[in-house]
Structure formats: structure tokens, C-alpha cells
Amino acid sequence: MNIQRPSMRTRGFTLIEVLIAVLIFSVGLLGMAGIMILSVQSNHAGFQRTQVSVLAQNMADRMRANPIGIWDGGYNNAFYPVATAEPACYPAGPCSPDNVATHDQVQWSQLLTTFLPSDGLLDANILCTPAAGSPVTPAQYPLRPPYDGTCAMTITWTEQSVAIKGVASAQTFAWVFQP
């Protein structure tokens, strides 16, 4: 029986193949890790945008529940989150429509600072304008409780950029609606 020995030129060739395979596998894993990080960042950005949408709808619902407060301009504010305190009537008893609007502003401001990142820009504003020819005197409010004008809401916050790692960018949600 004749046993063949590998020649000196082919020794260690399998070890080099294994090392190359490990290198290629490592590069593939690093690529997958990068894709996972990008996926998490994109998911977080989508979560924040969903939060903004829910918060905007929350304030619109609060406004719909207080049409006289809208007619009085109680929700018009260019500087949210507000730093005012709760009205004196809360929680003691019934409040005027303007006090309800102040309460809604304070509550919504707390929601903004809780659910949106506060480490950068966080700004919101609401401006309601009545339709032309609509009643504007307080005596006429009960005759026409639904607000027939439109309100413009803008929320701006800072979001970590997915495209450029670590760079924050301002995102804006703008909505024109009829409460």
C-alpha cells in the first residue's frame, strides 16, 4: 500500500481557505449589523411621527369639545409648550370656556414634552381664523356652536437623521383642519 504525502507546496492551503471564509463571513455580519442599526433608527423616526400625529389629533379633539373657546381665540398660541399654570377653577368646579382652553393648553404642553424629544427643538403653534361672515360676537356663540373657520397647527421637533449618523434635523408636522 502506497500512502501519498501532500507536497510541500499544498500544505496550509486549507487553513488559508478557512481564514478567507471567516473574513467574508465577518464582513457580512458587519453589514447586517449596520442594516439593523438603520432599521432601528427608521423605526424610531416613524414612532415619533406617529406620536406627533396622535398629539395633534388629541388637541383637535379638545378643541372640538370647546367651540366657544375656539371662537374666543383661547387656543390661538404661537408658543407651545406653554408655561402657564392650571386655571384656578381646576379641579374645584366648573370653568369658563377660556379656562377650559387654558387647561387644554397646559395638558397638551405636558403631553408634547413627555412624548417628543426635548433635547433639541420642540415648538408648536395653533392659529384659528373664522370664516368670512361668521359671527364674532360672544352673544352669537350659542347660536352657532360649531366653528366654521379653520385652524392651522404646526409642530416642529428634532429628529436624529437616519441618513447622516448623529446629525439632528428639524421635522415639521403641519395640519389645517376644521374643529
Side-chain angles (χ1 to χ4, degrees), residues 75-139:
Y75 291 95
N76 291 347
N77 193 337
F79 303 106
Y80 282 99
V82 296
T84 51
E86 289 279 352
C89 61
Y90 270 88
C95 294
S96 69
D98 288 334
N99 285 339
V100 171
T102 302
H103 169 73
D104 290 343
Q105 288 181 352
V106 169
Q107 293 294 311
W108 193 59
S109 294
Q110 290 174 354
L111 290 172
L112 284 173
T113 56
T114 300
F115 291 107
L116 293 178
S118 58
D119 56 349
L121 173 68
L122 177 57
D123 184 37
N125 61 57
I126 298 173
L127 178 62
C128 296
T129 53
S134 63
V136 291
T137 62

Side-chain angles (χ1 to χ4, degrees), residues 6-20:
S7 69
M8 293 297 256
R9 293 181 359 175
T10 59
R11 271 193 182 166
F13 187 71
T14 305
L15 182 60
I16 292 173
E17 288 177 339
V18 168
L19 288 175
I20 291 173

Side-chain angles (χ1 to χ4, degrees), residues 31-171:
M32 285 179 50
I35 290 172
M36 290 293 290
I37 290 171
L38 186 65
S39 171
V40 168
Q41 288 176 341
S42 296
N43 194 18
H44 185 67
F47 172 74
Q48 285 181 341
R49 292 173 188 185
T50 301
Q51 289 294 333
V52 168
S53 177
V54 169
L55 290 170
Q57 188 64 47
N58 178 284
M59 188 54 151
D61 289 342
R62 290 172 185 266
M63 293 168 71
R64 283 185 194 102
N66 185 12
I68 295 174
I70 299 171
W71 282 108
D72 284 340
Y75 291 95
N76 291 347
N77 193 337
F79 303 106
Y80 282 99
V82 296
T84 51
E86 289 279 352
C89 61
Y90 270 88
C95 294
S96 69
D98 288 334
N99 285 339
V100 171
T102 302
H103 169 73
D104 290 343
Q105 288 181 352
V106 169
Q107 293 294 311
W108 193 59
S109 294
Q110 290 174 354
L111 290 172
L112 284 173
T113 56
T114 300
F115 291 107
L116 293 178
S118 58
D119 56 349
L121 173 68
L122 177 57
D123 184 37
N125 61 57
I126 298 173
L127 178 62
C128 296
T129 53
S134 63
V136 291
T137 62
Q140 294 173 324
Y141 293 163
L143 302 175
R144 219 184 145 104
Y147 188 72
D148 67 345
T150 58
C151 295
M153 179 185 299
T154 305
I155 304 172
T156 305
W157 73 101
T158 302
E159 181 179 278
Q160 291 294 91
S161 177
V162 176
I164 305 169
K165 184 179 177 183
V167 175
S169 63
Q171 298 294 321

